[in-house]
Amino acid sequence: MNAASALSLENIARRFGSVRALENASLVVRDGSVHALLGENGAGKTTLMRVAFGLVRPDAGTIRVRGRAVDLPSPAAAIALGIGMVHQHFSSIPALSVAENVALGGHGAYHADRVRARVRDICEMVGFSLDPDARAGDLSVGAQQRLEIVKALARGARTLILDEPTAVLAPSEAEDLLAMLRRFADTGGTVVLITHKLPEALATADAVTVLRHGRTVLAEPVTNVDASKLATAMIGGAPPAAARRERRQAGQVVLAADHLAVRDERGVMRTRDVSLAVRSGEVLGVAGVDGAGQHELLLCLAGRLPPSSGHVEAPATVGFVPEDRLRDALILEFDVAENLALHESGRARGRLAWSRIRARAAEILTEYDVRAQSADALVSTLSGGNQQKLVLARELEPHPSLLIVENPTRGLDIAATAAVHSRLFDACEAGAAVVVYSSDLDEVLALADRLIVMFEGRSRDVPLDRAAAGRAMLGAA
Amino acid sequence: MRPATPAPGASAVSTWRHRAATSLGGAAIVVMVAVLSLALLWVALRLAGFDATLALGALWRGSFGTWYALTSSTLVRATPLVLTGLAVAIAFRAGVWNIGADGQLLVGAAVATAVGLAWGAQLGWLSIPLALAAGAIGGALWAGVAAVLRTKFGVLEVISTIMLNFVALDLVGYLVRGPLQEPSHAYPQSDQIPATMHLPILIPGTRLHAGFALAVAASLVLWWAMRSTAAGFRVRAIGANPDAARVAGRVDVARTTTNVLLLSGALAGLAGAIEVSGVTFALYENISPGYGYTAIAVALLAGLDPLGVLGTGILFGSLEAGALSMQREASVPSVVVTAVEAALVLLLLAISRRGSAASIIARFAGARSPTPDDAP
């Protein structure tokens, strides 16, 4: 084996029950490089990396670290070999400080000063800013992610595995993170970047590996590939054409907000003096960095959070897709049909006709291409992408005249994303007013007829232009 | 794309029918655990030098062994346990930690007594529904204090309801020494309620009163309501994920919580009114030997299922009925039954570590249920 490979996974296979998550998946990561691991949802990217981090034991195959075959029975074993992983869902303790979170899992006495100094050293080394004394729960999403990286580095990781790290970041934060990963690799570290964003992989990585159906279908230096070659490898055919639609004359005003101020659940003022109107057949795009007030604005417009001042005029039934599907959209221990019945259940009266609901649920699974064993399957058994499709199906199904969606395609692959976009356009053609926020600015620009950008709780009308929107998101003129 | 994959470690497909089968399986597990607990009791009694075989025989004769024991002892004992067990089960299902069923039962008993003493003689048989309704309303209002404290001041009901138990106990202590004390002022108890307010006997020749029929009816109605009605669905939804219920379902979580607490208090208050009008016929300071606390075990053992509560309530009723005859016949202190009840719950938790009772206790202890953060 090539001695210069920091990590190499050879012909890994792993089944979960009757499902083959991985069969014959291989990944060779050169020392001192950034390696992008691409694939659609369910292609096995995360599972393969969980094998590399000792969270999943492979049924077959060999793992080598710096050329030596190893057994990884636990994450502790992987950490001891210098492998660190940053998961999609963060694992810090909100009530503890940054330094205390970094110290967790260590041994021996806890010296606050030493840990603080260590955090500062690591931040300086990789070019981060992170206050060691800040409470982890008060950090922005971007800062929480930096904390996860610092935690891994503090345990001596030389090979960092990051699972879709930019999915939760604003464009400028994502650029900063990718630049940091690049520097880390240039100074001798190794990075495995799980992603399904092609531009990100092409711009940052030295090499790419593409998984499809649990197999490695492409492994090349980045110089040998381009976006269309990668997309073809990922989906095993030509990529679907991006959805398009005719821009029509907008109709009557469906949603109107007048000098709206909104406080979040903790009573903090998040949105100030926002006025807007959205017409039938129109898509209003909303952009903003994490925490700029767009989440509370959309909750309020959807009737899920009362305004603290100002006024909203909206239809009685609003389709709403919240950003955090596990917390706000789905009940994991309920089955598919029950989750569909959740829609507007606050207003339901009398008996629920379960036999009809279940029959309709089975149809919806087919119509919206949600892959679940049946309408009786618990939602916790669905993959993330299928959970998202289920939420969209539930909200689109009653054909509401107003549709408010946050990150509608988070966790979806290329084909499913295109399907969701065309569904949104269909709803719009049928006369719905649509408000869409996405942390992916390109997605907002692709969907919107008009754009507002949120910054520190205030909104601004901005032309549909990437540079102008990017500046407005940072508060620049 | 490939078919949906279960998250690693997640249980296999769970269908509606499958879940019905699981609840039957749950009943089988409870029976198994009960037998195991009794085996442990036998060993413990042997080690303590008692005639264990005689004692267990007495336990059986005092609970299910004879028609009279079953109807007049076990089912009479089970009635307040089923009703308070339902009170706890429905609250816990909604994620509302009502530990105050005992206090709500006491207030229900006190209100029913007061109504009976004041109007029972004039109203005739009408005083029965009146006293039962008054008891239920009393219990609901007592729980309503906790509801107001939670919704207006953010006081956790797990604290306030348990505190209100002690207040209720002192309130009853005051009533039976003050306003409601019997005319001779010799004993800390109320006067006897008029005979017109005594609950009818269901089976002649036994002490089984109509309160048991009400407990069975309440189990059936709640079981149906939890699975078939929109209100029951909301209760389950706010218990499973209040954020999703609020955001996706536009459920008014505060209102649903309040309603559940009121209903829970009403069930416990009804249990108190039934004890007065069916068993004791007067208000005593120690009218409840901790029914509202045993109710927590009854509810958890039943997996918070209302029909299951009927079963576990009767099981616990039989243990407490049998304990008395065990004491009479084999001189075994009746408190050992409390140890059997505890062993039952602990064994069940040990067996079904991933089961509903365990996960509910885990949430009760403040731990968050795990989410599959790694669906591929």
Side-chain angles (χ1 to χ4, degrees), chain A residues 17 28 41 51 87 116 138 157 166 208 219 223 254 284 316 327 357 391 406 408 418 471:
Chain A
V28 179
N41 283 305
V51 168
H87 299 273
R116 271 201 287 270
D138 295 335
T166 58
V208 290
T223 45
V254 174
L284 175 69
R327 192 188 68 193
I357 291 169
V391 174
E406 291 181 294
R471 280 197 306 276

PDB file of all heavy atoms in Angstrom, chain A residues 17 28 41 51 87 116 138 157 166 208 219 223 254 284 316 327 357 391 406 408 418 471:
ATOM      1  N   GLY A  17     -29.313  -4.979   8.571  1.00  0.00           N
ATOM      2  CA  GLY A  17     -30.497  -5.795   8.298  1.00  0.00           C
ATOM      3  C   GLY A  17     -30.442  -6.285   6.860  1.00  0.00           C
ATOM      4  O   GLY A  17     -29.442  -6.864   6.431  1.00  0.00           O
ATOM      5  N   VAL A  28      -8.968   6.175  -0.697  1.00  0.00           N
ATOM      6  CA  VAL A  28      -7.562   6.332  -0.340  1.00  0.00           C
ATOM      7  C   VAL A  28      -7.270   7.824  -0.240  1.00  0.00           C
ATOM      8  O   VAL A  28      -7.426   8.559  -1.211  1.00  0.00           O
ATOM      9  CB  VAL A  28      -6.639   5.676  -1.388  1.00  0.00           C
ATOM     10  CG1 VAL A  28      -5.182   5.884  -1.004  1.00  0.00           C
ATOM     11  CG2 VAL A  28      -6.955   4.191  -1.498  1.00  0.00           C
ATOM     12  N   ASN A  41     -27.737  11.177  -1.436  1.00  0.00           N
ATOM     13  CA  ASN A  41     -28.246  10.681  -0.160  1.00  0.00           C
ATOM     14  C   ASN A  41     -28.316   9.187  -0.199  1.00  0.00           C
ATOM     15  O   ASN A  41     -28.803   8.618  -1.155  1.00  0.00           O
ATOM     16  CB  ASN A  41     -29.664  11.172   0.076  1.00  0.00           C
ATOM     17  CG  ASN A  41     -29.640  12.574   0.502  1.00  0.00           C
ATOM     18  OD1 ASN A  41     -28.986  12.902   1.465  1.00  0.00           O
ATOM     19  ND2 ASN A  41     -30.327  13.401  -0.231  1.00  0.00           N
ATOM     20  N   VAL A  51     -17.298   4.113   9.576  1.00  0.00           N
ATOM     21  CA  VAL A  51     -16.377   2.978   9.649  1.00  0.00           C
ATOM     22  C   VAL A  51     -14.975   3.489   9.972  1.00  0.00           C
ATOM     23  O   VAL A  51     -14.284   2.973  10.852  1.00  0.00           O
ATOM     24  CB  VAL A  51     -16.381   2.184   8.318  1.00  0.00           C
ATOM     25  CG1 VAL A  51     -15.222   1.201   8.284  1.00  0.00           C
ATOM     26  CG2 VAL A  51     -17.709   1.471   8.127  1.00  0.00           C
ATOM     27  N   HIS A  87     -19.410  15.704  13.145  1.00  0.00           N
ATOM     28  CA  HIS A  87     -20.671  15.168  12.640  1.00  0.00           C
ATOM     29  C   HIS A  87     -21.583  16.291  12.158  1.00  0.00           C
ATOM     30  O   HIS A  87     -21.386  17.449  12.478  1.00  0.00           O
ATOM     31  CB  HIS A  87     -21.383  14.379  13.734  1.00  0.00           C
ATOM     32  CG  HIS A  87     -20.591  13.216  14.221  1.00  0.00           C
ATOM     33  ND1 HIS A  87     -20.630  11.987  13.627  1.00  0.00           N
ATOM     34  CD2 HIS A  87     -19.700  13.112  15.235  1.00  0.00           C
ATOM     35  CE1 HIS A  87     -19.809  11.169  14.249  1.00  0.00           C
ATOM     36  NE2 HIS A  87     -19.237  11.826  15.234  1.00  0.00           N
ATOM     37  N   ARG A 116      -7.835  26.704  28.349  1.00  0.00           N
ATOM     38  CA  ARG A 116      -8.075  27.964  27.614  1.00  0.00           C
ATOM     39  C   ARG A 116      -6.915  28.278  26.687  1.00  0.00           C
ATOM     40  O   ARG A 116      -7.105  28.638  25.526  1.00  0.00           O
ATOM     41  CB  ARG A 116      -8.275  29.110  28.614  1.00  0.00           C
ATOM     42  CG  ARG A 116      -9.719  29.283  29.035  1.00  0.00           C
ATOM     43  CD  ARG A 116      -9.946  30.673  29.573  1.00  0.00           C
ATOM     44  NE  ARG A 116      -9.353  30.832  30.890  1.00  0.00           N
ATOM     45  CZ  ARG A 116     -10.006  30.576  32.035  1.00  0.00           C
ATOM     46  NH1 ARG A 116     -11.253  30.177  31.998  1.00  0.00           N
ATOM     47  NH2 ARG A 116      -9.413  30.726  33.192  1.00  0.00           N
ATOM     48  N   ASP A 138     -24.579  29.626  23.515  1.00  0.00           N
ATOM     49  CA  ASP A 138     -24.771  30.975  22.981  1.00  0.00           C
ATOM     50  C   ASP A 138     -24.093  31.169  21.630  1.00  0.00           C
ATOM     51  O   ASP A 138     -24.229  32.226  21.021  1.00  0.00           O
ATOM     52  CB  ASP A 138     -24.204  32.019  23.958  1.00  0.00           C
ATOM     53  CG  ASP A 138     -24.969  32.024  25.277  1.00  0.00           C
ATOM     54  OD1 ASP A 138     -26.141  31.611  25.258  1.00  0.00           O
ATOM     55  OD2 ASP A 138     -24.392  32.425  26.296  1.00  0.00           O
ATOM     56  N   ALA A 157      -6.074  15.175  16.526  1.00  0.00           N
ATOM     57  CA  ALA A 157      -6.431  14.687  15.198  1.00  0.00           C
ATOM     58  C   ALA A 157      -5.509  15.286  14.145  1.00  0.00           C
ATOM     59  O   ALA A 157      -5.274  16.486  14.133  1.00  0.00           O
ATOM     60  CB  ALA A 157      -7.886  15.036  14.892  1.00  0.00           C
ATOM     61  N   THR A 166     -20.622  22.403   5.357  1.00  0.00           N
ATOM     62  CA  THR A 166     -21.096  23.703   4.884  1.00  0.00           C
ATOM     63  C   THR A 166     -22.610  23.766   4.769  1.00  0.00           C
ATOM     64  O   THR A 166     -23.168  24.817   4.486  1.00  0.00           O
ATOM     65  CB  THR A 166     -20.492  24.051   3.504  1.00  0.00           C
ATOM     66  OG1 THR A 166     -20.845  23.008   2.602  1.00  0.00           O
ATOM     67  CG2 THR A 166     -18.995  24.186   3.589  1.00  0.00           C
ATOM     68  N   VAL A 208     -10.997  13.534  -5.476  1.00  0.00           N
ATOM     69  CA  VAL A 208     -12.388  13.223  -5.169  1.00  0.00           C
ATOM     70  C   VAL A 208     -12.636  11.724  -5.300  1.00  0.00           C
ATOM     71  O   VAL A 208     -12.024  11.050  -6.126  1.00  0.00           O
ATOM     72  CB  VAL A 208     -13.395  13.942  -6.098  1.00  0.00           C
ATOM     73  CG1 VAL A 208     -13.431  15.420  -5.819  1.00  0.00           C
ATOM     74  CG2 VAL A 208     -13.091  13.665  -7.553  1.00  0.00           C
ATOM     75  N   ALA A 219     -12.618   7.612  -8.546  1.00  0.00           N
ATOM     76  CA  ALA A 219     -11.597   8.116  -7.629  1.00  0.00           C
ATOM     77  C   ALA A 219     -10.505   8.732  -8.476  1.00  0.00           C
ATOM     78  O   ALA A 219      -9.813   8.024  -9.199  1.00  0.00           O
ATOM     79  CB  ALA A 219     -11.047   6.983  -6.760  1.00  0.00           C
ATOM     80  N   THR A 223      -7.976  17.467 -10.776  1.00  0.00           N
ATOM     81  CA  THR A 223      -7.636  18.036 -12.078  1.00  0.00           C
ATOM     82  C   THR A 223      -8.195  17.215 -13.233  1.00  0.00           C
ATOM     83  O   THR A 223      -8.320  17.694 -14.342  1.00  0.00           O
ATOM     84  CB  THR A 223      -6.105  18.147 -12.234  1.00  0.00           C
ATOM     85  OG1 THR A 223      -5.524  16.920 -11.769  1.00  0.00           O
ATOM     86  CG2 THR A 223      -5.557  19.306 -11.427  1.00  0.00           C
ATOM     87  N   VAL A 254     -51.523  37.981  -1.248  1.00  0.00           N
ATOM     88  CA  VAL A 254     -51.943  36.849  -0.414  1.00  0.00           C
ATOM     89  C   VAL A 254     -51.436  37.031   1.016  1.00  0.00           C
ATOM     90  O   VAL A 254     -52.114  36.706   1.969  1.00  0.00           O
ATOM     91  CB  VAL A 254     -51.415  35.518  -1.001  1.00  0.00           C
ATOM     92  CG1 VAL A 254     -51.724  34.365  -0.071  1.00  0.00           C
ATOM     93  CG2 VAL A 254     -52.021  35.270  -2.378  1.00  0.00           C
ATOM     94  N   LEU A 284     -41.163  34.915  -3.230  1.00  0.00           N
ATOM     95  CA  LEU A 284     -40.305  35.876  -2.538  1.00  0.00           C
ATOM     96  C   LEU A 284     -39.150  35.108  -1.921  1.00  0.00           C
ATOM     97  O   LEU A 284     -39.358  34.205  -1.102  1.00  0.00           O
ATOM     98  CB  LEU A 284     -41.084  36.606  -1.442  1.00  0.00           C
ATOM     99  CG  LEU A 284     -40.234  37.550  -0.581  1.00  0.00           C
ATOM    100  CD1 LEU A 284     -39.775  38.763  -1.378  1.00  0.00           C
ATOM    101  CD2 LEU A 284     -40.982  37.987   0.673  1.00  0.00           C
ATOM    102  N   ALA A 316     -55.821  31.372   6.331  1.00  0.00           N
ATOM    103  CA  ALA A 316     -55.958  30.542   7.532  1.00  0.00           C
ATOM    104  C   ALA A 316     -55.017  29.342   7.473  1.00  0.00           C
ATOM    105  O   ALA A 316     -54.412  28.966   8.459  1.00  0.00           O
ATOM    106  CB  ALA A 316     -57.404  30.076   7.687  1.00  0.00           C
ATOM    107  N   ARG A 327     -36.793  18.656  14.942  1.00  0.00           N
ATOM    108  CA  ARG A 327     -37.369  19.292  16.113  1.00  0.00           C
ATOM    109  C   ARG A 327     -38.779  19.801  15.834  1.00  0.00           C
ATOM    110  O   ARG A 327     -39.681  19.585  16.641  1.00  0.00           O
ATOM    111  CB  ARG A 327     -36.486  20.464  16.569  1.00  0.00           C
ATOM    112  CG  ARG A 327     -36.877  20.988  17.951  1.00  0.00           C
ATOM    113  CD  ARG A 327     -36.136  22.259  18.287  1.00  0.00           C
ATOM    114  NE  ARG A 327     -36.570  23.346  17.437  1.00  0.00           N
ATOM    115  CZ  ARG A 327     -35.926  24.510  17.336  1.00  0.00           C
ATOM    116  NH1 ARG A 327     -34.819  24.716  17.993  1.00  0.00           N
ATOM    117  NH2 ARG A 327     -36.393  25.458  16.557  1.00  0.00           N
ATOM    118  N   ILE A 357     -57.139   8.131   6.517  1.00  0.00           N
ATOM    119  CA  ILE A 357     -55.839   8.803   6.591  1.00  0.00           C
ATOM    120  C   ILE A 357     -54.725   7.857   6.139  1.00  0.00           C
ATOM    121  O   ILE A 357     -53.824   8.231   5.383  1.00  0.00           O
ATOM    122  CB  ILE A 357     -55.579   9.289   8.037  1.00  0.00           C
ATOM    123  CG1 ILE A 357     -56.541  10.422   8.385  1.00  0.00           C
ATOM    124  CG2 ILE A 357     -54.131   9.726   8.208  1.00  0.00           C
ATOM    125  CD1 ILE A 357     -56.561  10.802   9.863  1.00  0.00           C
ATOM    126  N   VAL A 391     -42.132  15.754   4.790  1.00  0.00           N
ATOM    127  CA  VAL A 391     -42.593  17.047   5.301  1.00  0.00           C
ATOM    128  C   VAL A 391     -43.131  17.888   4.140  1.00  0.00           C
ATOM    129  O   VAL A 391     -44.214  18.480   4.225  1.00  0.00           O
ATOM    130  CB  VAL A 391     -41.448  17.797   6.015  1.00  0.00           C
ATOM    131  CG1 VAL A 391     -41.897  19.194   6.411  1.00  0.00           C
ATOM    132  CG2 VAL A 391     -40.994  17.027   7.244  1.00  0.00           C
ATOM    133  N   GLU A 406     -38.451  26.845   4.610  1.00  0.00           N
ATOM    134  CA  GLU A 406     -37.076  27.136   5.028  1.00  0.00           C
ATOM    135  C   GLU A 406     -36.210  25.966   4.595  1.00  0.00           C
ATOM    136  O   GLU A 406     -36.530  24.816   4.905  1.00  0.00           O
ATOM    137  CB  GLU A 406     -36.986  27.248   6.557  1.00  0.00           C
ATOM    138  CG  GLU A 406     -37.676  28.443   7.141  1.00  0.00           C
ATOM    139  CD  GLU A 406     -37.498  28.469   8.661  1.00  0.00           C
ATOM    140  OE1 GLU A 406     -38.013  27.579   9.340  1.00  0.00           O
ATOM    141  OE2 GLU A 406     -36.830  29.377   9.142  1.00  0.00           O
ATOM    142  N   PRO A 408     -35.744  24.160   1.893  1.00  0.00           N
ATOM    143  CA  PRO A 408     -36.625  23.063   1.468  1.00  0.00           C
ATOM    144  C   PRO A 408     -35.877  21.847   0.971  1.00  0.00           C
ATOM    145  O   PRO A 408     -36.429  20.750   0.994  1.00  0.00           O
ATOM    146  CB  PRO A 408     -37.441  23.683   0.330  1.00  0.00           C
ATOM    147  CG  PRO A 408     -36.600  24.802  -0.177  1.00  0.00           C
ATOM    148  CD  PRO A 408     -35.858  25.336   1.012  1.00  0.00           C
ATOM    149  N   ALA A 418     -34.225  18.825  -7.607  1.00  0.00           N
ATOM    150  CA  ALA A 418     -34.904  19.298  -8.817  1.00  0.00           C
ATOM    151  C   ALA A 418     -36.404  19.040  -8.722  1.00  0.00           C
ATOM    152  O   ALA A 418     -37.222  19.883  -9.108  1.00  0.00           O
ATOM    153  CB  ALA A 418     -34.314  18.605 -10.048  1.00  0.00           C
ATOM    154  N   ARG A 471     -23.284  40.994  -0.274  1.00  0.00           N
ATOM    155  CA  ARG A 471     -22.904  42.200   0.495  1.00  0.00           C
ATOM    156  C   ARG A 471     -23.987  42.539   1.501  1.00  0.00           C
ATOM    157  O   ARG A 471     -23.704  42.821   2.665  1.00  0.00           O
ATOM    158  CB  ARG A 471     -22.683  43.384  -0.449  1.00  0.00           C
ATOM    159  CG  ARG A 471     -21.327  43.384  -1.130  1.00  0.00           C
ATOM    160  CD  ARG A 471     -21.003  44.748  -1.720  1.00  0.00           C
ATOM    161  NE  ARG A 471     -22.025  45.274  -2.624  1.00  0.00           N
ATOM    162  CZ  ARG A 471     -22.100  44.957  -3.924  1.00  0.00           C
ATOM    163  NH1 ARG A 471     -21.194  44.136  -4.455  1.00  0.00           N
ATOM    164  NH2 ARG A 471     -23.049  45.452  -4.676  1.00  0.00           N
TER     165      ARG A 471
END
